Amino acid sequence: MSRDRATSAPLEWSYTCGSMSQLGDLLELLHGSRGTYRSVRGVLRHWLSFRLSQEAHERWERMLRAAGHSGGTAFQMVMATSAGPLAEPPDRHELVIRFWSEPPARQREETTTLAPQPHEHTVVRDGTRWWTYSPEWGAMSNVAAGADDENIGVGGGELWMALLDPSAWIPALDFQLEGEGDVLGRPALRVRGLPRAPRGDDPFQVHTQLPAGADEYRLLVDRKRGVVLFAAALLEGEEFWVSEFVELVFDEELPAATFVFEPPPGVEIRGPDLGLHEPVTIEEAARRASFPVFYLPELPDGRWELHVTYVAPRERPPLTESVHLAYHRADATRHVIVTERPASEREPEPVPYVPAGPDVEAPAGLEVEEVARAGRSFTVHRPHRLRHGLPLTVVFEREGTAIQLSSGNLEEEVLLELAASMTRMEAR
C-alpha cells in the first residue's frame, strides 16, 4: 500500500464475518506479535484531523460521563512553536517517523513533523541511558548527569510501538474479520475494530494509543507476525486518524552506533531540564519575574488550591519568561489557569492573541470580542462550544504584563469578574 492517504479515496472493505476459529487466530496473532522479532526498523507515516479528533474526543467524554466517570480526560495537541500568532487553528497534523529498535530497551526515533509547521526531533535510548535533540531545543541526555538525574526517563516510540504490539487493543475493541489484503508485500488480514462501551475508569487512549471516540477502526494485520501494518480511525465514515508503515524490516543486524547519539558540530549536550518549569510560591515568582505579577485575591465559593510555576527566559530551548498560576477547586469541579508574561514578548498560545478590528478574522470556532468591566478593557476569546484545548479565555494587559485567564468550566461573567479583580503581588 503505497498511495497517498491524504488525497486517495478510502480503502474498500469487504464485510464478511470470520469464523470463531479465525477470530481466535487473530487474537492469538495480536497477543503474540511482540515476540516475533529480535530487531526492527522502519518508517511510519501518521496524520490526523485536529477538528475531527476533537469531535471524537468530545463524544468519548460524553460516553465516560454516562458510564459514571466523574472527571474529564485531556485532549492535547503538541505543535511546533510558530514565529507569530496563529490566524486559524490548523486542522491537519502530519509527521513521518524513522525508527530502529532492539526490544526491550534499545531504540532510535527520528521524527519529522510536516504539518502544521516543520519540526524535527530525535530520541535515542540504550537501556536507562537516553539522548534527545531538536534544532530548537538543542541536545539533552541523562548520561553523566548525576545520580539523581540519571533516573529520569524519556518518552518516544509510542505510535509505532503500539502498532508493533497491539495486544492492548484486545480488551478495548470487538474485532470482525473482513477479508485479506497486502501491505508492503506482506499478506495481511483486513480487520474492523468496534470500540467497546467504556467503563467508569476506562484508560482507553493511554493503553492503546488509538484516538478515543471513533465509530470504528480499520486495521491491516500482518498474517505472519501479528503486527498492525495500517490503522485508521473513522468518524461517521470519514478517516480522521491514520498510522501506516511505509517501510518495515525485521531481524536485521543493527550497528551498535545506531543507539548512540552524536550531536551536530558545535552543539553541547546538557543534562535534563529539571528546573525548566520550577514550582515556586507566588511571593517567590514576584521576586524573580522582571515584570509585575498579579494574583486572584478572591475565588468563587469552595476550597481552592494554587500551584505557581516560574519559567526563566532561555535561548535554547527558546522560552519567554513567564509565570503560571493554576487554581483548582478541591472537589475538581472548577479551575482557572493564569499565564503572565512581559507585554512586549507575547507568544503564541493554544488560544491565539487576536487583535480586535474589522479587518481581523477570528480563528475558526472562536469568537473574539472586546468588553469592558470595572473601567478596564478585556478581550474575550469565546469558543462556539467549549472544547478540550480551546477554553473560554480572557486576555488583557496591566502595568506592562500580558495576562491570560482560561477556564473550561467557569461562566464568562465569573471569569471577567476574576480578571477585573486581579491584584499586584509586591515583591518582598
Side-chain angles (χ1 to χ4, degrees):
M1 184 174 57
S2 59
R3 61 199 188 86
D4 186 346
R5 302 288 309 172
T7 58
S8 303
L11 288 170
E12 295 296 327
W13 293 78
S14 58
Y15 290 84
T16 56
C17 295
S19 68
M20 184 64 70
S21 62
Q22 290 174 319
L23 180 59
D25 290 342
L26 170 65
L27 297 178
E28 185 175 353
L29 271 175
L30 296 175
H31 183 266
S33 58
R34 64 179 174 179
T36 60
Y37 60 90
R38 56 182 174 79
S39 73
V40 59
R41 66 171 176 86
V43 179
L44 178 76
R45 182 185 174 200
H46 175 78
W47 68 264
L48 61 84
S49 162
F50 186 50
R51 175 182 60 84
L52 292 178
S53 296
Q54 283 184 313
E55 291 184 9
H57 193 88
E58 289 169 4
R59 186 169 69 172
W60 185 255
E61 284 283 323
R62 293 192 294 270
M63 294 171 65
L64 283 175
R65 288 192 292 270
H69 196 287
S70 59
T73 60
F75 179 85
Q76 299 179 337
M77 183 58 58
V78 178
M79 297 185 293
T81 303
S82 69
L86 299 173
E88 182 174 338
D91 182 58
R92 186 175 179 83
H93 293 248
E94 183 176 1
L95 51 86
V96 173
I97 303 174
R98 291 169 174 81
F99 63 91
W100 300 257
S101 176
E102 289 181 353
R106 305 180 85 190
Q107 72 175 50
R108 184 185 190 98
E109 176 182 82
E110 299 176 355
T111 301
T112 301
T113 301
L114 305 176
Q117 298 171 45
H119 182 67
E120 295 182 357
H121 186 241
T122 298
V123 178
V124 180
R125 286 198 297 112
D126 186 359
T128 60
R129 306 190 308 163
W130 57 262
W131 299 261
T132 68
Y133 171 76
S134 72
E136 295 82 6
W137 284 66
M140 187 187 313
S141 175
N142 71 338
V143 176
D148 292 337
D149 293 356
E150 286 178 357
N151 294 323
I152 299 169
V154 66
E158 290 82 6
L159 282 172
W160 52 269
M161 289 173 65
L163 298 179
L164 294 176
D165 179 13
S167 58
W169 302 2
I170 295 175
L173 302 175
D174 289 322
F175 298 100
Q176 297 177 359
L177 289 167
E178 299 191 331
E180 299 184 357
D182 183 272
V183 184
L184 301 174
R186 301 174 182 276
L189 298 172
R190 295 179 183 266
V191 179
R192 184 187 189 202
L194 299 176
R196 296 178 178 176
R199 305 183 307 272
D201 60 344
D202 196 286
F204 180 91
Q205 196 163 5
V206 174
H207 289 334
T208 67
Q209 297 298 319
L210 292 169
D215 295 318
E216 61 178 295
Y217 304 88
R218 292 182 174 177
L219 316 174
L220 288 171
V221 180
D222 189 311
R223 290 194 59 148
K224 177 181 178 181
R225 298 184 183 270
V227 302
V228 176
L229 303 169
F230 168 88
L234 284 75
L235 187 66
E236 297 182 357
E238 182 177 357
E239 290 180 353
F240 70 90
W241 180 102
V242 171
S243 281
E244 60 179 328
F245 290 114
V246 295
E247 183 179 339
L248 195 61
V249 179
F250 292 99
D251 296 329
E252 279 189 344
E253 291 295 330
L254 301 177
T258 303
F259 306 106
V260 177
F261 175 74
E262 293 293 337
V267 174
E268 294 185 3
I269 301 177
R270 66 181 186 274
D273 285 325
L274 295 182
L276 208 60
H277 301 83
E278 184 178 355
V280 295
T281 64
I282 185 69
E283 294 84 1
E284 180 64 20
R287 282 195 296 269
R288 296 191 187 188
S290 65
F291 53 88
V293 172
F294 295 81
Y295 69 99
L296 296 174
E298 294 186 13
L299 290 151
D301 292 342
R303 184 169 64 86
W304 290 74
E305 298 176 354
L306 170 62
H307 299 275
V308 182
T309 303
Y310 172 77
V311 179
R314 295 184 62 159
E315 292 184 2
R316 179 169 286 194
L319 293 174
T320 298
E321 184 183 24
S322 59
V323 172
H324 305 265
L325 313 180
Y327 293 90
H328 295 275
R329 210 165 88 162
D331 61 4
T333 61
R334 297 289 186 271
H335 72 265
V336 182
I337 306 300
V338 181
T339 299
E340 305 181 28
R341 293 187 175 92
S344 60
E345 299 186 36
R346 284 183 170 177
E347 291 184 343
E349 291 291 331
V351 178
Y353 290 102
V354 181
D359 298 327
V360 177
E361 183 178 353
L366 185 68
E367 177 185 340
V368 180
E369 182 183 2
E370 292 286 340
V371 302
R373 293 292 186 279
R376 293 192 175 97
S377 178
F378 303 91
T379 303
V380 179
H381 298 257
R382 186 183 302 122
H384 294 169
R385 53 183 175 142
L386 289 180
R387 288 183 173 182
H388 296 281
L390 199 61
L392 176 68
T393 302
V394 174
V395 178
F396 62 103
E397 290 186 14
R398 288 274 303 277
E399 303 179 35
T401 300
I403 304 175
Q404 173 176 304
L405 279 77
S406 298
S407 179
N409 46 36
L410 284 180
E411 295 77 10
E412 181 175 323
E413 283 302 318
V414 174
L415 201 60
L416 282 168
E417 290 177 8
L418 292 174
S421 74
M422 291 202 75
T423 301
R424 180 169 176 169
M425 172 61 67
E426 297 299 334
R428 299 173 184 173

